[in-house]
Amino acid sequence: MSSKKLVLTLILYIFSFFNLSAQIVINEICPTNVSIIANSDGKFDDWIELHNAGSSMVNLNGFSLTDDSTKPAQFTFPNYNLGAGDKVVVFASDKTNKILVDHWEMPVNAGTIWRYAAGSAAIDSNWRNLNFNETVWTADHGGIGFGDGDDNVIIPVGPSVMLRKTFTIPDTSQILKAVLLMDYDDGFVAYLNGVEIARANIGTA
């Protein structure tokens, strides 16, 4: 059975053990997470991985984590069953969010294939919508930009560049939160199926 990782966002470092302390162990610690695992907010906080090394399930309700040995229960686990052999990742993010996230996925990755076109008055205004024929645009791996040292594809300097990425999510009811991370220099506007979802340094929404 593959291990399931869940996410909690909080501040911690020291695990306060109870009567099953030999069964629940600190399996791994990452004190300088900069790109390995992002939390549910899309941030790379430090993390601790706990492992149930026993042969039976353990309910973590009442177990606690802290970064101060004089305050052994700064964060107390909610009612959560950690199965035999399973692991749970806890982020040290200065938050006490007890929402358990089953897992997180990245349907849109900056380094995969994107469709793009240089911005001009001739661009079809329908380009933002789901039914636009994006095959007429150039396809290449991101990032795509004017060549500032971090672009995979360098295009001629111009007023703008339009980018499109088509992806599919089978069941949107299973999404707890969606996070957009944007790497830009001057400004951007982002749309999802034609609806504006984010904007920075360009006009008004």
Side-chain angles (χ1 to χ4, degrees):
M1 180 182 294
S2 60
S3 297
K4 179 181 289 185
K5 291 188 175 181
L6 294 93
V7 183
L8 297 169
T9 52
L10 32 110
I11 181 168
L12 44 94
Y13 288 108
I14 301 170
F15 192 70
S16 296
F17 296 102
F18 289 87
N19 59 333
L20 293 176
S21 60
Q23 186 168 336
I24 304 299
V25 298
I26 295 177
N27 189 60
E28 189 173 355
I29 297 176
C30 182
T32 54
N33 179 32
V34 294
S35 62
I36 299 174
I37 303 176
N39 67 17
S40 57
D41 291 326
K43 297 180 180 179
F44 293 95
D45 294 305
D46 302 338
W47 51 265
I48 296 92
E49 181 182 77
L50 303 181
H51 172 53
N52 182 353
S55 58
S56 60
M57 179 190 70
V58 175
N59 188 299
L60 295 181
N61 188 36
F63 283 52
S64 63
L65 292 150
T66 183
D67 63 349
D68 186 344
S69 59
T70 66
K71 301 175 182 178
Q74 288 197 86
F75 171 80
T76 302
F77 274 89
N79 183 23
Y80 172 68
N81 293 321
L82 186 62
D86 285 355
K87 301 171 184 177
V88 60
V89 170
V90 187
F91 285 99
S93 63
D94 260 341
K95 296 183 179 180
T96 55
N97 181 3
K98 296 184 180 181
I99 295 176
L100 291 165
V101 180
D102 180 85
H103 69 284
W104 57 97
E105 300 178 8
M106 186 178 293
V108 178
N109 190 301
T112 55
I113 296 294
W114 289 74
R115 294 281 180 172
Y116 69 93
S120 72
I123 290 288
D124 185 342
S125 61
N126 189 46
W127 73 271
R128 302 173 304 214
N129 299 323
L130 186 62
N131 60 357
F132 177 73
N133 179 19
E134 63 184 25
T135 61
V136 299
W137 287 13
T138 305
D140 213 328
H141 288 275
I144 299 166
F146 301 137
D148 60 354
D150 61 355
D151 297 319
N152 180 63
V153 176
I154 299 175
I155 60 176
V157 175
S160 62
V161 58
M162 314 298 180
L163 298 99
R164 282 180 55 95
K165 182 72 174 180
T166 299
F167 61 98
T168 300
I169 297 177
D171 185 0
T172 55
S173 69
Q174 298 299 309
I175 299 173
L176 177 67
K177 178 186 288 187
V179 178
L180 172 69
L181 301 176
M182 177 64 68
D183 179 8
Y184 67 98
D185 295 314
D186 301 313
F188 78 93
V189 182
Y191 303 89
L192 182 62
N193 291 355
V195 178
E196 183 176 326
I197 59 172
R199 173 186 294 258
N201 299 336
I202 296 181
T204 57

